[in-house]
Amino acid sequence: MGAAGSVGAAGSVGAAGSVGAAGSVGAVDSVMLLSSRGGSRFGGSIGEPTSPAIMTDGALRLRPRPADVLNWESPQTHPRRQERRMPERDGNHHHDTPDTGYLLDNQQSEAGIRFGALSELFDPVTFRHVDAVGLTEGMRVWEVGAGGPSVPLGLAARVGTTGEVLCTDIDVSWVRDLDRPHVEVRQHDVAADPPPPGGFDLVHARLVLVHVVDRAEALRRMVRALRPGGVLLLEDADPGLQPLLCPDEYGPEQRLANRLRNGFRELMAARGADLAYGRTLPRLLREAGLDDVQADAYFPITSPACTVLEAATVRQIRGRLVAAGIATDADIDRHLANVATGRLDLATSPLVSAWGRRPAPKGRYSLAGGTAAPEARDMNPFLETDRLTLRAFTEADADGLCALDRDPEVMRFITGGLPTSPEVVRTRTVPRLLHTYPHFGTRGYWAAEEKATGTFLGWFEFCPLEDRSPFVVELGYRLNRAAWDRGYATEGSRALIDKGFRELGVERVTANTMAVNTRSRSVMEKSGLSFLRAFTGDWPDPIEGSEHGEVEYELTRADWEKRGTQA
């Protein structure tokens, strides 16, 4: 029976498991994990039976179906959001005193003023770091807690029309109307919602996590959203490092300002803000598994923007300060008058900027690191198991590929036994096998050799269904008959699945094959996949057994992690 197929994978970054926890290696893994009936002979997109199809490499290739993309919950219907930030629209004298919720509500008119002042103060700092980590055209960015428009627009200018910027926040009022074809705005709770799919070169959040109660979970989700080699840049305040609004406290005006600022911080702490969070960022990034962690801090001693920021902030929280007994209306009026004179030297809390890189295998593409030359990639194996070596293809492998595809038994569940012509192998197959996926950071197809002898056995596939996303990945193999009944298919497939979940941002592995291909289905199960569905297709080139339809199997990250803990 045949020895070719494809398995797919999709999803978010991070987590560990163990190789080989899906069962023992047996003789039946000589067969393909997938026939090309549900995708392409070389791992094309899996599709519904009614999906539009195109011909590639002389094979039917179906367009991706929506289910192959991680189902990211629509934030518009999330039940918790209305509890987390309640509108405060009744002006400067709001005396309601709930002890939960975001203190500086984005729906108040002062929010826009605050965003403008924060932009003037901190955008130069943010973009100094963004430029230093190497953000450039064509890259993909997730801006978490976008707030105002200045950072999203600056990021969009750097990635250009070939890149993407995703802006998320619980309240997107101030960025909803950003009119850029490569900028997407989504309502999203970073601590409660799944991370957006697709894999990001840069994830950035400024003055966000200090206000999030479950900031540890939010951080985990942002790390998971990084593709290998991607950078997480977090910028957050540390009021404990510099607690004064007026560091030079020489008169009653400065003492009043500092008393009100202390009260503001008390209100923040009561709502779960960590006033010493900024200083912990380097440690937290290292504990999250990031490499090359660095950090610095910045705060202005005085600036016109600090004056604007302070006036807007006090007007926004005035009612809270009065209701908590921190200040009277007269105190606040006097402070606002002092601020309006422009003679107070007003500072901010230090903004701690920390950044780290998600590890990438040697030779992998990474932000600010470029891509290793093809010859460098070819010198080192992509993956080794006890008995197999998976290495990058070269054009010199064409003869071996032609011999592989001439065997009618190898091609039985692919073409019904028909061979692939040498011309197709050299002009279509080889270029595909040499392709590097930029947002996956590596090749997608690997020559399989017997580790002990160096004998060419065929190939394994582990490539994204979309060039711009590492989450939907198709795993497959095609092995010559000399490699059948020796457990190679399961051994290689398990190792690729584990590498994908550990290092490459995989979230979901899918596989389909003909329903009658019981040996292939057994390999799927031994590789850890479970039956998902049966379906039928109207194939233009039906082969024996196709009248019984197709089956699809899957392995999710959650199931893979559970399997690892139980092993």
Side-chain angles (χ1 to χ4, degrees):
M1 298 185 72
S6 307
V7 180
S12 59
V13 174
S18 61
V19 177
S24 60
V25 176
V28 295
D29 29 46
S30 59
V31 298
M32 67 188 107
L33 282 182
L34 294 181
S35 77
S36 65
R37 313 300 295 176
S40 77
R41 290 176 179 79
F42 295 93
S45 305
I46 298 172
E48 296 286 359
T50 56
S51 299
I54 57 175
M55 298 300 292
T56 57
D57 285 8
L60 179 67
R61 176 168 182 165
L62 298 177
R63 301 185 191 279
R65 59 185 177 85
D68 287 324
V69 180
L70 182 66
N71 181 19
W72 185 31
E73 174 193 7
S74 171
Q76 308 296 337
T77 58
H78 200 292
R80 282 173 289 196
R81 284 200 180 77
Q82 299 308 315
E83 302 174 29
R84 295 174 71 90
R85 289 192 187 178
M86 297 300 294
E88 300 176 8
R89 295 187 175 277
D90 49 343
N92 292 341
H93 298 275
H94 180 23
H95 293 275
D96 188 18
T97 59
D99 58 0
T100 60
Y102 184 49
L103 190 61
L104 297 168
D105 181 55
N106 286 357
Q107 296 188 31
Q108 292 178 271
S109 60
E110 291 84 2
I113 300 173
R114 293 184 62 256
F115 289 147
L118 290 170
S119 173
E120 183 175 341
L121 290 169
F122 297 128
D123 278 8
V125 177
T126 293
F127 289 116
R128 173 168 58 86
H129 292 112
V130 165
D131 293 337
V133 300
L135 186 68
T136 188
E137 290 189 4
M139 291 185 172
R140 194 163 186 262
V141 183
W142 179 18
E143 175 65 14
V144 181
S150 66
V151 172
L153 289 175
L155 295 171
R158 285 162 171 79
V159 302
T161 57
T162 59
E164 299 176 25
V165 176
L166 174 64
C167 309
T168 65
D169 205 340
I170 292 178
D171 185 341
V172 295
S173 304
W174 298 95
V175 292
R176 182 177 290 119
D177 297 328
L178 285 180
D179 185 17
R180 299 292 188 279
H182 55 297
V183 177
E184 180 183 359
V185 177
R186 299 286 294 269
Q187 190 181 29
H188 180 263
D189 185 337
V190 66
D193 295 329
F200 295 92
D201 298 285
L202 174 67
V203 176
H204 172 250
R206 187 174 77 188
L207 298 173
V208 173
L209 294 186
V210 70
H211 299 288
V212 176
V213 176
D214 195 357
R215 56 187 66 89
E217 179 60 28
L219 176 58
R220 282 192 291 271
R221 293 174 189 236
M222 285 190 279
V223 171
R224 286 174 58 195
L226 290 170
R227 67 163 186 77
V231 170
L232 175 61
L233 171 60
L234 296 180
E235 300 182 294
D236 242 315
D238 195 316
L241 285 176
Q242 196 293 100
L244 301 177
L245 179 61
C246 295
D248 184 15
E249 189 183 78
Y250 65 88
E253 295 89 351
Q254 290 76 21
R255 285 191 289 273
L256 174 61
N258 287 337
R259 178 163 64 86
L260 295 182
R261 175 55 58 90
N262 184 65
F264 172 46
R265 288 170 178 157
E266 289 178 4
L267 294 176
M268 290 178 60
R271 285 157 177 77
D274 183 349
L275 302 185
Y277 186 63
R279 73 193 74 176
T280 69
L281 290 176
R283 171 176 56 83
L284 295 177
L285 294 186
R286 286 193 299 271
E287 290 176 351
L290 300 187
D291 290 340
D292 305 324
V293 174
Q294 300 181 59
D296 60 23
Y298 164 82
F299 73 97
I301 297 295
T302 186
S303 165
C306 290
T307 300
V308 173
L309 178 63
E310 174 64 10
T313 300
V314 171
R315 287 196 299 268
Q316 202 166 0
I317 64 168
R318 176 177 189 141
R320 307 281 191 185
L321 292 170
V322 173
I326 294 169
T328 65
D329 281 325
D331 291 334
I332 294 173
D333 287 338
R334 186 165 66 256
H335 175 60
L336 288 174
N338 294 338
V339 170
T341 67
R343 293 194 296 268
L344 293 181
D345 292 324
L346 304 178
T348 70
S349 300
L351 181 74
V352 178
S353 301
W355 58 97
R357 189 182 310 279
R358 185 165 183 258
K362 185 177 180 181
R364 290 285 311 277
Y365 170 94
S366 64
L367 190 61
T371 306
E375 56 271 17
R377 288 194 302 265
D378 295 343
M379 292 177 63
N380 298 310
F382 174 69
L383 180 64
E384 290 185 324
T385 68
D386 290 343
R387 300 181 298 162
L388 297 174
T389 296
L390 273 58
R391 60 162 177 84
F393 271 102
T394 70
E395 293 183 357
D397 290 308
D399 289 342
L401 292 167
C402 288
L404 182 68
D405 283 12
R406 280 198 302 266
D407 189 327
E409 284 301 304
V410 170
M411 304 301 287
R412 175 180 175 184
F413 288 99
I414 304 167
T415 63
L418 298 176
T420 306
S421 72
E423 179 183 3
V424 168
V425 169
R426 296 181 189 280
T427 62
R428 298 186 185 182
T429 303
V430 170
R432 180 183 289 186
L433 300 183
L434 298 178
H435 178 60
T436 294
Y437 295 82
H439 279 64
F440 197 45
T442 187
R443 298 271 185 91
Y445 299 86
W446 308 94
E449 295 179 343
E450 193 171 47
K451 193 173 182 179
T453 65
T455 301
F456 178 77
L457 302 177
W459 52 258
F460 281 84
E461 170 204 2
F462 203 77
C463 67
L465 297 184
E466 298 179 9
D467 256 16
R468 301 193 62 79
S469 169
F471 286 168
V472 182
V473 180
E474 197 167 44
L475 167 72
Y477 64 87
R478 184 172 300 173
L479 302 178
N480 61 42
R481 277 197 275 177
W484 293 8
D485 298 326
R486 301 177 65 182
Y488 283 144
T490 299
E491 183 176 325
S493 296
R494 285 179 179 174
L496 282 168
I497 289 170
D498 288 339
K499 185 178 182 71
F501 282 125
R502 285 199 184 100
E503 302 177 11
L504 303 178
V506 171
E507 188 69 16
R508 175 175 172 264
V509 177
T510 71
N512 64 60
T513 190
M514 295 174 65
V516 297
N517 192 346
T518 56
R519 298 180 75 185
S520 177
R521 295 174 68 169
S522 178
V523 172
M524 294 180 194
E525 293 166 358
K526 291 197 301 177
S527 296
L529 285 74
S530 300
F531 177 80
L532 178 63
R533 64 167 184 150
F535 62 96
T536 58
D538 183 16
W539 309 113
D541 56 343
I543 63 176
E544 182 181 355
S546 61
E547 67 274 14
H548 298 288
E550 318 288 320
V551 289
E552 181 177 359
Y553 286 66
E554 72 168 357
L555 173 62
T556 65
R557 169 175 290 279
D559 288 340
W560 175 81
E561 292 174 347
K562 185 185 304 181
R563 186 189 73 183
T565 61
Q566 294 175 349

